[in-house]
């Protein structure tokens, strides 16, 4: 398909101009609509991060060590599914509705169904419960690859403008935090209103969240457009696993982003996963979980609204580094100071809000690395690039589960007990506070030394791509040079 044919397809589908240069602007509707996509993601993805561990251990009766093993094994399955999804997405022809949006929408419907299934547990023997948990979660993860890949890639073809991408990143992070916020203060109360934290009530509460997720994805699908016209002639060859490896190994900023996200996302997931345990046992009142989430995530939603201004003033990388320092200090103090509701609430809110800013900017980084990959190799592989990043998020989820559920197993956690041992309480606190402090220190080192695309360098890359050039020539005419990291 030529550039002109591509432009005609987009023009027929949407009434807005098809060609966006580096300084083009998105309207407010598109920015808000894009954020609704991660709102939908959050009602399904983040819901699982926060409550599946509790559901499997306390309600289904699966041991903490087995739960940790389920997460690890499923991620090995995802290691295969992510590149397969990427191959399908990158090889897909551009249709009337674009390249990414239709795949995202159909897959989101299936993801909503599987979200409810993962929070369903048949009354069978323990071996079958474990098999059902692992199998349903593996299918959920495979479907998620076909949702998050096209959704994440969508931002890279909406605009190349740095400020606009920062605003898209803010909108996306607002959507994610908005879903975490609603799930955090509503999910448990819904079950309590239905009669308690039973297997059946987990299913009904997850159904409510999945329906909200579907509505959010519909709004995202209807409100976004694929504006940037891409010369895909050089990228039209069939993809394979070697292309997946090449997308990572020749893309240094992507490698840095993948490694950084392993620690940032696992830190956020640990907070979400262990908050219910901390409130119930360390603070002695499970109802405080909703209050803590209301304050912590609510403050984070306010904080990320400053991302565009911070990025324009300090640049993406410096803003991320400054936020990491604040989060490290807040979490470190929370570990050292004796457990107290008020000091814990203040410090966990500061740490979580500070972490939310780098996690928001990450989405702008992702779009930049997609463009960098095209500029560096002469071939554009949105699906492959985003699949590598998406897999790091899934690994982060697995890491969080191993740290959280593994700690419960090691310290002798007793399911459904009215109280836990002092060793277990210390373990819960360490996972909630010390782990994020150490993980974010590692993330700061990674992003500082490995991520090598400054905002000024990205502007040069965007300008080259707008003019049809890559690092060694004209896109589609000279793509035989062997790129290096």
């Amino acid at each position: 398909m030529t550039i002109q044919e591509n432009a005609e397809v987009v023009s027929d589908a949407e009434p807005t101009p098809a060609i966006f240069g580096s300084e083009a602007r998105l309207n407010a509707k598109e920015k808000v609509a894009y954020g609704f996509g991660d709102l939908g993601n959050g009602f399904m993805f983040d819901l699982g991060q926060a409550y599946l561990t509790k559901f499997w251990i306390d309600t289904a009766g699966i041991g903490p060590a087995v739960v940790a093993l389920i997460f690890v094994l499923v991620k090995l399955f995802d290691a295969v599914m992510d590149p397969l999804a990427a191959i399908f997405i990158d090889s897909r022809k551009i249709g009337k509705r674009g390249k990414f949006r239709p795949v995202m929408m159909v897959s989101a419907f299936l993801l909503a169904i599987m979200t409810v299934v993962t929070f369903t547990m048949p009354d069978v023997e323990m071996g079958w419960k474990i098999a059902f948990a692992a199998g349903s979660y593996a299918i959920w993860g495979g479907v998620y690859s076909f949702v998050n890949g096209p959704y994440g890639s969508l931002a890279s073809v909406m605009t190349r403008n740095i400020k606009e991408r920062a605003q898209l990143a803010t909108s996306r992070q607002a959507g994610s935090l908005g879903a975490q916020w609603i799930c955090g203060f509503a999910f448990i109360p819904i079950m309590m209103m239905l009669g308690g934290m039973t297997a059946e009530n987990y299913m009904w509460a997850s159904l409510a969240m999945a329906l909200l997720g579907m509505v959010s994805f519909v709004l995202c699908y209807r409100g976004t457009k694929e504006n940037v016209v891409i010369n895909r002639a050089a990228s039209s060859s069939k993809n394979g696993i070697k292309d997946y490896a090449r997308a990572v190994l020749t893309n240094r900023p992507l490698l840095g982003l993948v490694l950084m996200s392993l620690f940032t996302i696992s830190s956020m997931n640990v907070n979400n996963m262990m908050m219910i345990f901390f409130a119930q046992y360390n603070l002695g009142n499970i109802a405080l979980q909703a209050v803590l989430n209301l304050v912590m995530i609510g403050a984070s939603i306010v904080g990320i609204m400053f991302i565009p201004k911070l990025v324009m003033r300090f640049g993406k990388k410096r803003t991320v580094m400054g936020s990491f320092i604040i989060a490290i200090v807040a979490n470190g103090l929370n570990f050292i100071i004796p457990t107290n509701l008020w000091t814990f609430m203040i410090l966990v809110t500061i740490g979580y809000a500070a972490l939310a800013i780098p996690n928001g900017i990450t989405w702008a980084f992702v779009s930049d690395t997609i463009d960098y990959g095209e500029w560096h190799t002469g071939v554009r592989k949105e699906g492959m690039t985003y699949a590598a990043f998406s897999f790091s998020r899934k690994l982060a989820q697995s890491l969080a589960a191993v740290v959280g559920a593994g700690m419960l197993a090691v310290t002798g956690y007793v399911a459904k007990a009215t109280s836990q041992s002092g060793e277990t309480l210390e373990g819960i606190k360490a996972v909630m506070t010390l782990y994020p402090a150490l993980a974010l220190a590692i993330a700061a080192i990674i992003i500082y030394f490995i991520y090598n695309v400054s905002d000024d360098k990205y502007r040069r890359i965007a300008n080259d791509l707008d003019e049809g050039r890559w690092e060694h020539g004209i896109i589609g005419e000279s793509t035989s040079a062997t790129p290096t990291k």
Side-chain angles (χ1 to χ4, degrees), residues 348-367:
V348 79
T349 297
I350 293 172
Y352 200 86
L355 174 57
I357 291 175
N359 277 345
I361 294 174
T362 292
W363 306 122
F365 278 150
V366 171
S367 294

Side-chain angles (χ1 to χ4, degrees), residues 1 5-14 88-105 150 153-154 157-158 221 224-228 230 232 382:
M1 177 175 284
E5 290 171 335
N6 189 3
E8 289 172 1
V9 168
V10 177
S11 180
D12 288 343
E14 308 291 352
F88 171 79
I89 293 164
D90 279 336
S91 301
R92 185 176 181 274
K93 299 295 184 182
I94 300 175
K96 220 167 52 164
R97 300 295 178 182
K99 183 179 178 71
F100 303 111
R101 292 162 61 246
V103 179
M104 175 193 75
M105 192 66 249
S153 301
L154 176 60
V157 292
M158 289 178 70
Y221 174 79
T224 55
K225 307 176 184 70
E226 299 181 20
N227 299 301
V228 178
I230 305 297
R232 298 194 182 274
E382 294 105 328

Side-chain angles (χ1 to χ4, degrees), residues 75-89 141-146 148-149 241 244 383-395:
K75 297 316 155 188
L76 294 177
F77 173 75
D78 283 342
V80 177
M81 283 306 304
D82 279 348
L84 290 179
I87 290 169
F88 171 79
I89 293 164
V143 175
Y144 181 73
S145 298
F146 286 87
N148 206 41
I241 298 298
Y244 180 71
M384 288 290 180
T385 305
Y386 195 84
F389 173 71
S390 179
F391 183 57
S392 74
R393 290 171 59 80
K394 293 181 178 181
L395 282 180

Side-chain angles (χ1 to χ4, degrees), residues 119-410:
F119 279 99
T120 302
M121 185 56 65
D123 186 13
V124 293
E125 294 180 359
M126 183 53 65
W128 287 108
K129 285 185 177 182
I130 294 171
F132 183 86
S136 61
Y137 190 57
I139 296 171
W140 181 95
V143 175
Y144 181 73
S145 298
F146 286 87
V147 176
N148 206 41
Y151 173 66
S153 301
L154 176 60
S156 71
V157 292
M158 289 178 70
T159 181
R160 286 188 178 131
N161 181 276
I162 289 177
K163 183 177 180 180
E164 299 294 288
R165 281 190 173 175
Q167 291 174 344
L168 283 178
T170 300
S171 180
R172 176 169 187 171
Q173 186 67 354
S176 176
L177 289 172
Q180 290 179 37
W181 191 56
I182 294 171
C183 292
F185 74 75
F187 192 70
I188 299 298
I190 288 174
M191 286 191 287
M192 293 304 183
M193 289 171 57
L194 294 173
M197 296 171 65
T198 65
E200 183 179 359
N201 291 340
Y202 264 105
M203 182 191 70
W204 288 117
S206 65
L207 176 61
M209 298 302 161
L211 290 174
L212 290 174
M214 272 306 304
V215 172
S216 300
F217 269 113
V218 169
L219 293 173
C220 175
Y221 174 79
R222 292 177 63 86
T224 55
K225 307 176 184 70
E226 299 181 20
N227 299 301
V228 178
V229 176
I230 305 297
N231 181 355
R232 298 194 182 274
S235 310
S236 60
S237 59
K238 290 185 177 180
N239 300 302
I241 298 298
K242 66 178 182 180
D243 298 289
Y244 180 71
R246 184 174 183 242
V248 179
L249 298 179
T250 64
N251 193 324
R252 177 175 165 178
L254 174 63
L255 181 61
L257 192 60
V258 163
L259 294 174
M260 181 197 80
S261 295
L262 184 62
F263 296 99
T264 57
I265 302 301
S266 65
S267 295
M268 182 167 278
N269 284 346
V270 158
N271 264 295
N272 294 334
M273 178 192 306
M274 300 307 296
M275 183 63 79
I276 189 169
F277 293 97
F278 191 89
Q280 184 174 4
Y281 296 112
N282 292 65
L283 298 178
N285 186 355
I286 195 173
L288 289 173
Q289 182 257 2
V291 177
L292 288 166
N293 280 328
L294 188 69
V295 175
M296 178 182 76
I297 302 175
S300 301
I301 294 173
V302 174
I304 63 167
M305 298 305 168
F306 294 96
I307 286 178
K309 290 185 177 180
L310 291 171
V311 167
M312 293 310 295
R313 180 167 182 179
F314 301 109
K316 291 192 287 289
K317 190 170 180 177
R318 289 175 63 189
T319 300
V320 166
M321 291 299 298
S323 300
F324 278 154
I325 292 171
I326 294 172
I328 291 166
V329 172
N331 281 291
L333 288 174
N334 223 356
F335 175 70
I336 296 170
I337 295 174
T339 300
N340 173 276
L341 172 61
W342 296 107
T343 56
F344 176 79
M345 181 184 292
I346 292 169
L347 290 172
V348 79
T349 297
I350 293 172
Y352 200 86
L355 174 57
I357 291 175
N359 277 345
I361 294 174
T362 292
W363 306 122
F365 278 150
V366 171
S367 294
D368 291 356
T369 60
I370 289 173
D371 286 339
Y372 175 86
E374 180 184 11
W375 177 80
H376 191 52
T377 66
V379 178
R380 189 175 183 89
K381 300 292 183 185
E382 294 105 328
M384 288 290 180
T385 305
Y386 195 84
F389 173 71
S390 179
F391 183 57
S392 74
R393 290 171 59 80
K394 293 181 178 181
L395 282 180
Q397 176 192 0
S398 180
L399 178 59
V402 169
V403 171
M407 178 279 305
L408 294 176
V410 169

Side-chain angles (χ1 to χ4, degrees), residues 442-463:
I442 296 172
I445 293 171
I446 290 170
I447 201 68
Y448 183 80
F449 286 104
I450 298 180
Y451 193 88
N452 64 337
V453 177
S454 66
D455 287 347
D456 287 340
K457 182 175 181 177
Y458 177 74
R459 289 186 182 95
R460 295 194 297 272
I461 290 172
N463 185 64

